[in-house]
């Protein structure tokens, strides 16, 4: 059997698919790509037994349908160094090897039986389906993904939660110290008294983000209590969901705050970046001292005699000093795509709310950061 492919298109697909594969696998076959020829395309699948990603790659020619598995790391390294050429894959069933000819050279490697590759077996019972613009899903993940946790005791916090309300899709993440909430009011549905929702683990959300960045158009999102499937004409991602109840994120967001501050985002962000290296390496505590028309951003590490402070002008009519984890503030400000940032505060012991002044309203996108005790 001979299969001809364009090396550039093949490389693009297997680079994305390789993100699914773990460095260590319980089943050796999971360290492989599964190739399946179907008409004028080859379907390339990768899995770690929790999620499956299948990508379609056009073929130049093929003399018959076939299925085989090859080592993902070895095959990716070999193809990565090829020029943009047409390659020919030839299977030798007697020696169980596959030969790749790329014009001025070739390489040979063993292939595995495709029947050993575990396929996704997702129960579609009671599945709910939505057709959504893929770029809207991508934006929701990009705006909130930074706030996911790495908590073994509360695994539900290690993912991105989606709620589908009648008036919009809401995406929320939190690690207990910071929170991000994004709402797309254009993704609406008929109000039937229910709120379909799911919590996608961090790994498939990162994979989906890399996939959606290269594809245009709508995607079909299908899910039930156990599994999720996102697909279009070019790819299919199946993943097991986090089977836990996500906390009520709206309950921890302050509804009204007596102090509202507006500042130039880039000025505040750059000041934080310059001050942060002088903060304590274990706490990264940064103090924000707001007074009339300005904020003093400062950090220090007494043990190593380090200190830094910088003054930034802002629109502020109150006086308050509050401490935050500096690295978290940097992440929050980076994810606000606006020239000005609005900060809502109540007192030094309560969370601060951050959102853009113009691009997205408070209801559409905000981040929350828990304060730190100032010594």
């Amino acid at each position: 059997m001979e299969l001809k492919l364009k090396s550039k298109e093949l490389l693009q697909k297997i680079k994305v698919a390789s993100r699914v594969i773990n460095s260590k696998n319980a089943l050796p076959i999971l360290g492989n790509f599964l190739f399946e020829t179907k008409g004028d395309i080859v379907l390339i699948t990768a899995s770690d037994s929790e999620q499956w990603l299948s990508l379609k790659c056009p073929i130049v020619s093929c003399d018959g349908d076939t299925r085989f598995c090859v080592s993902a790391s070895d095959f990716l390294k070999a193809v990565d160094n090829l020029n943009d050429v047409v390659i020919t894959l030839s299977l030798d069933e007697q020696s169980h090897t596959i030969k790749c000819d790329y014009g001025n050279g070739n390489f040979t490697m063993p292939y595995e039986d495709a029947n050993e590759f575990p396929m996704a077996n997702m129960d579609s019972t009671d599945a709910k389906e939505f057709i959504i613009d893929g770029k809207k899903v991508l934006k929701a993940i990009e705006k909130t993904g930074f706030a996911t946790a790495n908590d073994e005791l509360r695994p539900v916090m290690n993912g991105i939660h989606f709620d589908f309300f009648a008036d919009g899709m809401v995406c929320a993440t939190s690690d207990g110290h910071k929170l991000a909430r994004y709402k797309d009011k254009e993704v609406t549905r008929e109000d039937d008294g229910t709120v379909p929702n799911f919590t996608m683990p961090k790994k498939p959300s990162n994979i989906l983000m890399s996939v959606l960045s290269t594809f245009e158009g709508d995607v079909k999102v299908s899910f039930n209590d156990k599994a999720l499937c996102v697909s279009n004409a070019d790819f299919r991602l199946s993943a097991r969901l986090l089977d836990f109840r996500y906390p009520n994120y709206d309950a921890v967001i302050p509804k009204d705050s007596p102090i509202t501050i507006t500042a130039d985002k880039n000025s505040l962000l750059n000041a934080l970046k310059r001050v942060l290296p002088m903060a304590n390496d274990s706490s990264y505590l940064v103090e924000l001292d707001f007074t009339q028309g300005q904020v003093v951003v400062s950090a220090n590490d007494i043990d190593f005699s380090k200190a830094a402070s910088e003054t930034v002008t802002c629109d502020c009519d109150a006086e308050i000093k509050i401490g935050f984890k500096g690295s978290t503030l940097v992440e929050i400000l980076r994810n606000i795509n606006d020239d000005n940032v609005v900060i809502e505060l109540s007192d030094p012991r309560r969370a601060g709310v951050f959102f853009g002044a113009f691009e997205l309203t408070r209801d559409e996108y905000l981040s929350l950061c828990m304060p730190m005790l100032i010594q």
Side-chain angles (χ1 to χ4, degrees):
M1 194 286 300
E2 285 192 353
L3 169 64
K4 292 186 177 183
L5 301 161
K6 292 182 179 180
S7 61
K8 186 176 181 179
E9 293 178 342
L10 174 62
L11 180 61
Q12 181 187 29
K13 305 299 182 183
I14 61 177
K15 275 188 173 180
V16 175
S18 66
R19 295 174 180 267
V20 182
I21 301 174
N22 292 329
S23 56
K24 295 182 179 179
N25 297 285
L27 297 174
I29 195 68
L30 293 176
N32 287 253
F33 292 129
L34 170 64
F35 283 75
E36 299 176 278
T37 57
K38 297 183 177 181
D40 60 352
I41 60 101
V42 59
L43 195 64
I44 303 169
T45 302
S47 174
D48 65 356
S49 78
E50 291 293 323
Q51 40 264 326
W52 287 258
L53 175 62
S54 297
L55 299 164
K56 290 181 180 179
C57 180
I59 62 177
V60 176
S61 67
C62 182
D63 59 9
D65 290 343
T66 187
R67 301 173 74 240
F68 61 91
C69 294
V70 292
S71 170
S73 60
D74 291 342
F75 191 75
L76 178 57
K77 290 176 184 177
V79 176
D80 194 21
N81 292 308
L82 298 180
N83 296 320
D84 185 11
V85 296
V86 174
I87 62 174
T88 301
L89 300 178
S90 304
L91 267 66
D92 187 332
E93 295 182 0
Q94 290 186 343
S95 61
H96 227 254
T97 58
I98 184 168
K99 180 180 179 181
C100 177
D101 192 313
Y102 48 89
N104 62 335
N106 64 78
F107 64 84
T108 303
M109 60 188 296
Y111 71 86
E112 304 291 335
D113 189 349
N115 293 327
E116 297 180 13
F117 195 91
M119 300 303 294
N121 185 19
M122 301 296 185
D123 184 8
S124 59
T125 305
D126 300 324
K128 301 173 181 64
E129 291 186 357
F130 297 97
I131 303 297
I132 308 174
D133 184 346
K135 295 304 180 186
K136 292 183 178 294
V137 179
L138 175 63
K139 186 175 182 179
I141 297 174
E142 288 177 336
K143 299 292 281 185
T144 60
F146 75 95
T148 54
N150 290 298
D151 193 336
E152 294 182 358
L153 298 179
R154 296 185 299 170
V156 70
M157 308 300 287
N158 303 338
I160 300 179
H161 184 74
F162 287 82
D163 278 319
F164 294 90
F165 295 97
D167 61 346
M169 175 185 72
V170 177
C171 184
T173 57
S174 177
D175 64 359
H177 301 285
K178 59 182 179 289
L179 178 148
R181 187 196 66 188
Y182 172 77
K183 183 173 184 177
D184 191 324
K185 295 183 179 181
E186 295 182 2
V187 182
T188 59
R189 54 183 293 272
E190 183 179 349
D191 189 0
D192 59 0
T194 66
V195 183
N197 63 82
F198 62 84
T199 304
M200 187 193 309
K202 184 182 298 185
K203 181 175 178 179
S205 66
N206 289 337
I207 294 168
L208 185 59
M209 187 164 58
S210 65
V211 172
L212 292 177
S213 64
T214 60
F215 290 103
E216 300 287 341
D218 293 339
V219 295
K220 182 172 75 172
V221 179
S222 176
F223 63 92
N224 56 18
D225 293 339
K226 302 294 183 182
L228 164 76
C229 179
V230 183
S231 62
N232 68 5
D234 298 303
F235 79 92
R236 178 185 178 92
L237 174 67
S238 301
R240 302 191 193 281
L241 295 175
L242 293 172
D243 190 18
F244 302 93
R245 184 178 179 83
Y246 202 81
N248 183 0
Y249 49 86
D250 270 333
V252 301
I253 300 174
K255 300 298 183 289
D256 297 301
S257 299
I259 302 173
T260 301
I261 300 143
T262 303
D264 181 81
K265 187 200 75 171
N266 289 326
S267 297
L268 183 57
L269 177 59
N270 291 330
L272 280 167
K273 289 178 180 179
R274 288 188 285 265
V275 167
L276 191 55
M278 300 300 130
N280 184 279
D281 289 340
S282 60
S283 66
Y284 297 104
L285 172 64
V286 171
E287 297 179 17
L288 302 182
D289 189 359
F290 293 95
T291 55
Q292 296 292 328
Q294 68 178 32
V295 54
V296 177
V297 183
S298 61
N300 68 82
D301 188 342
I302 298 174
D303 294 337
F304 292 93
S305 301
K306 298 190 301 183
S309 67
E310 188 168 330
T311 302
V312 178
T313 58
C314 65
D315 183 2
C316 177
D317 295 328
E319 295 187 1
I320 184 173
K321 180 185 286 189
I322 188 169
F324 292 109
K325 187 173 182 179
S327 54
T328 299
L329 278 188
V330 169
E331 286 182 308
I332 287 174
L333 293 176
R334 280 176 174 168
N335 279 274
I336 295 175
N337 296 328
D338 205 310
D339 291 336
N340 294 292
V341 58
V342 178
I343 307 171
E344 293 184 348
L345 302 172
S346 53
D347 66 61
R349 296 164 296 178
R350 296 188 178 179
V353 179
F354 300 78
F355 54 93
F358 301 109
E359 183 191 353
L360 295 174
T361 65
R362 186 185 194 276
D363 183 51
E364 291 174 311
Y365 179 67
L366 62 78
S367 298
L368 178 148
C369 188
M370 298 300 295
M372 296 180 68
L373 179 64
I374 300 176
Q375 299 295 332

